[in-house]
Amino acid sequence: MGDAPGMPRPQTGREPLLRRLDRVDRRWIFLLMAIAVAGPIVWVGVTGQTFPEKPTPIVEGAFRAIDGLPEGSRVLIAFDFDPASSGELQPMATAFVRHCALKRHRIYAMTLWAPGSPIIGSTLGEVVGGDPHYVYGETFVDLGFQSGNEGVIKQVGSSFAKAFPNDSRGTPLAQVPMMQGIERVSDFDALVCVSAGYPGAKEWVQYAVSPTLTGGRRLTFVAGTTGVQTPQLIPYYPVQLAGMLGAIKGAAEYETLVNGKALEASPGTKVEPKYQEAQRRMAPQLFGHVLMVALIVAGNVIFFAGRRKEARA
Amino acid sequence: MSRSVAVLVTAVAGIVMLLSAFVRPLEFLGTAVVDWFNVLAAIAFVLGGANLLKMNLLKVSAREAGWGYSAVTVLAFLVTITVGALKVGVHPDPKFPAVALSGDKEAVGGAFWWIYEYAMSPITSTLFALLAFYVASAAFRAFRAKNTAAILLLGTAFVVLLGRVYVGVLLTSWIPADNAWVSWMRLENLSGIIMSVFTNAGTRAIIIGIAIGVAATSLKILLGLDRSYLGGEG
Amino acid sequence: MSLGGSTHAPAVERRANRMMIAVLAVVCALLAVRAFVGTTVGSGESARTVHGFGAVYVEAAPKAVPEQAWTEWREVPAGAWADATAKDPAQESVQVSWPRTVGVWFAALMTLAVFSFLWRDNPLYKLAESVVVGVSAGYWMVVALWDTLVPKLAGSLVPEWTKANLMPSLDRTAADWWSLVPLGLGMLLLCRLSARLSWLGIFPLAFVVGTFSGLKFVQFIESDLVAQVATMFDPLVVVKHDAAATPGAVAAVDWAGSVGASVGAVLVLVGVLSVLAYFFFSLEHKGALGRTAKVGVWYLMITFGASFGFTVMGRIALLAARFEFLFDDWLWIIDPAGKH
């Protein structure tokens, strides 16, 4: 691999090492990143080893918010993401649905992102598909997608049926048994949002949760967010957000808590691999992060060494 | 004349939303306006698709450079809306077998599902995954600790990058975890403190500033003082 | 077919093309080796070696209603095929799904086409990009049509016809003529496609901007101003207690926790005020305001550093997911979830 096509080569002699390192073709860096991520994936895939995860308070807050609800509570889960972010967010969505299933909560799924619709179907099918307790229309329902972004959130704040006249299968909401008693979003016992960006957790905080802080029934809200969005939502914790799963690390911590709860309920059973997706992805994270730190340090060492050399010259 | 009517429409729509927020008996007005807005948002998707078709067909017919790719785009677009609108490969709802289009458009096994699962989903995911490589390249070439601010930024990045993975736990495992006076210096705890204290403070101030800005801008728009959204002159 | 011009010298272009063809040839050779080596599917007596990879196996799903005239197929692990074939070599209840297998291969090749952009811009990448642009636009249009326009527009204006042909479960019988308002606005919006009539598009745009402005005005103030400022009135001196040794006993003060929480609360207050001072541009940043703004800059740098760290975390997770797809679903090199 040499310079990109068209880049001029030095005319006289061999370039000094520093200059060569400073001008290294970025494709070598791409290759290093590919190895740093692909290698651990193969290693984890073959060995099944994962790193231990110690849950942080903000993730424990999210866990307690769902776990503290009485069995059979009504939980609205907003799958506000698309396949582009599913690498980070799918494990969160799976863990949330599983946690609700362990507590036998009634699950109401919806999305504000059009590509999120099939994700609802595949996640619910994966987690509660073979569970006899979960019967469509009675213990779980897929409300599908509605366009309008925060307009939909504003609408469900006053009239759920207006925002979602029917579920994803075309059944009018009035004919879905578990929608009885649900008039607006604050009628739910908890709201969970797995959010990739806009519209997402921030809009749910602004349009659905915050209005309930000042009057009426306060809505418990838990979010799972991408790494990019996590710092933007920190100020909402713990008043408007009961807890948050930040990036794949948050997902791995939450998986640890949920798997622990499942093992408590059924000691001696093995955790299914589909419930350890985030924990498996922490291995490539480790090597990727170490590579990033090494690249930043190397870049600075080369830069300052070059500057010192120029100053002497 | 049309711009004045448009400004009036803006003001009426906005004032209805404000009134419905503060006057309970008028809540139904806000619900209706938002309902219309949601339908309009769906029609905007139709506009987007139609515009894409128009731009790419112009490119194909003019034989501009790269027109072959535009032809691929048009073909992919037309195939997708055809199989989706007509629910190709989707069986009817078992409760209504006589109505051919009663099935779920995204039913597993249908043509529309196939396009989502094997074309749209993997390609969009991979496009976003490319960013990991460019972040690494940018980190090597551009991140320079030239001043105090840059040193603070990079130092924080190091703490967060290492503290959020197991290597951070290993690097500071020698610091006792049960002694609260020193355990905060462990990398995993330090990254938590950075988030809960410093990032919290910085982002909160930004949020407050943005809220004030949004409120001011919204008021200017509703009062007709800001007409830039209409295009042309102020 | 013109694929777009190149700005490099022909010799350099030829060398780069030869390099790409060589890499492609190596990749194809490796894939052939992988196919030849095979994978053991199933376990115990039913284990067998399958030459090839990336196949998707399906079995017939139970009928939703007895009168159902068609068969739905659901994905099963390759091991289920091995078990079924071991019992009855002529069985057809578990079989390879060719549409889904072709789909996996198409997805894998498109993934590699997008990754090839890291090497250099090339026709394969441009092809993948063109496909996704067309498919995405079509997808959003179809979803908007079936999830919003049919139930809320067609179902409101022509409910009988919609019920008979599109949504048999619709329970509305009388038309809601108020739905003509969004239909009318939508038609005006579509006028933007015409150069002559595009000026009509400012009315629905004005409606959208007005609705949004009204929505955001209230909610940003309630959620991002009032609620956030209210949080600033949390106590600065925090006293935490250890868990009581026995129920009813007086719990000891957790001095480390209390000092930590108090210092944290003070730092948050100082941080918010100093960053707000930095963004206050009505006065020159000098003297006390200047020093406060400087502290605000430090807080912002720490915030951006943390944001960078989290962004990196997010991007690497997305890359890891793509590699998992290639190694698990396509190449069958790993099988962490027991899919084959």
Side-chain angles (χ1 to χ4, degrees), chain A residues 134-157:
Chain A
Y134 279 93
V135 177
Y136 190 87
E138 290 175 26
T139 34
F140 80 101
V141 66
D142 177 2
L143 299 169
F145 162 77
Q146 274 302 326
S147 59
N149 300 338
E150 55 261 64
V152 177
I153 302 176
K154 180 70 182 170
Q155 215 172 16
V156 299

Side-chain angles (χ1 to χ4, degrees), chain C:
Chain C
M1 178 187 289
S2 164
L3 300 179
S6 169
T7 56
H8 304 304
V12 170
E13 191 70 22
R14 278 197 300 272
R15 192 174 127 237
N17 287 340
R18 276 202 297 270
M19 186 84 101
M20 269 208 88
I21 291 168
V23 168
L24 275 172
V26 166
V27 168
C28 288
L30 286 172
L31 290 177
V33 167
R34 173 71 193 92
F36 178 73
V37 163
T39 310
T40 304
V41 298
S43 56
E45 282 181 13
S46 58
R48 54 189 61 218
T49 302
V50 171
H51 291 284
F53 51 90
V56 179
Y57 292 86
V58 292
E59 72 174 0
K63 292 187 179 186
V65 295
E67 315 78 65
Q68 188 176 304
W70 56 86
T71 307
E72 305 264 353
W73 296 91
R74 60 181 179 198
E75 197 173 323
V76 293
W81 169 82
D83 293 338
T85 309
K87 285 192 192 120
D88 174 12
Q91 66 83 26
E92 283 180 3
S93 58
V94 184
Q95 55 184 267
V96 171
S97 165
W98 288 109
R100 299 185 200 202
T101 300
V102 166
V104 168
W105 276 79
F106 180 76
L109 293 175
M110 285 291 109
T111 300
L112 294 177
V114 174
F115 277 142
S116 69
F117 185 74
L118 295 167
W119 178 263
R120 59 192 292 256
D121 197 6
N122 63 84
L124 282 176
Y125 167 78
K126 287 199 183 92
L127 181 72
E129 193 185 44
S130 307
V131 165
V132 80
V133 167
V135 163
S136 297
Y139 181 89
W140 281 81
M141 224 165 116
V142 168
V143 172
L145 170 73
W146 283 110
D147 288 353
T148 304
L149 296 178
V150 165
K152 287 191 174 181
L153 214 49
S156 291
L157 292 170
V158 284
E160 298 288 343
W161 181 85
T162 307
K163 189 179 171 75
N165 296 289
L166 302 176
M167 271 183 74
S169 53
L170 189 69
D171 58 354
R172 183 195 290 278
T173 46
D176 176 14
W177 300 114
W178 281 107
S179 297
L180 285 171
V181 175
L183 178 65
L185 287 170
M187 293 299 108
L188 291 177
L189 190 65
L190 290 174
C191 288
R192 289 186 74 86
L193 292 168
S194 155
R196 208 163 47 91
L197 297 173
S198 66
W199 66 273
L200 286 169
I202 61 167
F203 299 109
L205 186 66
F207 174 77
V208 166
V209 169
T211 308
F212 250 74
S213 298
L215 261 178
K216 285 182 183 297
F217 180 79
V218 176
Q219 297 315 141
F220 267 78
I221 289 179
E222 180 174 29
S223 158
D224 288 1
L225 185 59
V226 171
Q228 291 299 314
V229 169
T231 319
M232 301 307 301
F233 288 91
D234 287 343
L236 293 179
V237 177
V238 180
V239 180
K240 286 188 171 181
H241 294 89
D242 292 324
T246 52
V250 174
V253 172
D254 173 12
W255 288 105
S258 301
V259 167
S262 302
V263 168
V266 170
L267 285 174
V268 168
L269 179 67
V270 165
V272 174
L273 293 176
S274 59
V275 173
L276 284 173
Y278 171 75
F279 284 120
F280 190 69
F281 298 120
S282 303
L283 288 173
E284 205 178 335
H285 287 182
K286 55 184 184 185
L289 181 62
R291 286 191 292 276
T292 310
K294 188 92 183 157
V295 172
V297 169
W298 294 343
Y299 270 85
L300 283 172
M301 289 302 114
I302 295 174
T303 303
F304 297 149
S307 294
F308 168 72
F310 270 85
T311 302
V312 166
M313 183 155 221
R315 301 301 173 211
I316 290 176
L318 301 183
L319 180 61
R322 295 321 297 154
F323 278 137
E324 274 179 29
F325 163 74
L326 289 175
F327 295 145
D328 184 2
D329 294 284
W330 184 45
L331 293 171
W332 287 10
I333 291 174
I334 57 173
D335 185 19
K339 284 193 261 188
H340 35 86

Side-chain angles (χ1 to χ4, degrees), chain B residues 118-185:
Chain B
Y118 298 117
M120 183 170 147
S121 180
I123 300 176
T124 49
S125 306
T126 313
L127 283 169
F128 273 77
L130 284 183
L131 292 167
F133 297 101
Y134 293 112
V135 158
S137 171
F140 178 73
R141 285 165 185 269
F143 285 4
R144 301 289 179 252
K146 289 184 193 171
N147 51 40
T148 315
I151 291 169
L152 263 177
L153 190 148
L154 288 178
T156 309
F158 286 171
V159 170
V160 170
L161 282 170
L162 296 175
R164 298 282 291 174
V165 289
Y166 193 63
V167 76
V169 175
L170 291 176
L171 281 174
T172 46
S173 56
W174 51 274
I175 299 174
D178 48 2
N179 183 344
W181 291 105
V182 295
S183 65
W184 62 271
M185 286 188 283

Side-chain angles (χ1 to χ4, degrees), chain A residues 37-58:
Chain A
V37 173
I41 286 173
V42 175
W43 176 73
V44 169
V46 168
T47 64
Q49 295 288 316
T50 56
F51 294 113
E53 297 294 335
K54 183 167 173 284
T56 46
I58 198 170

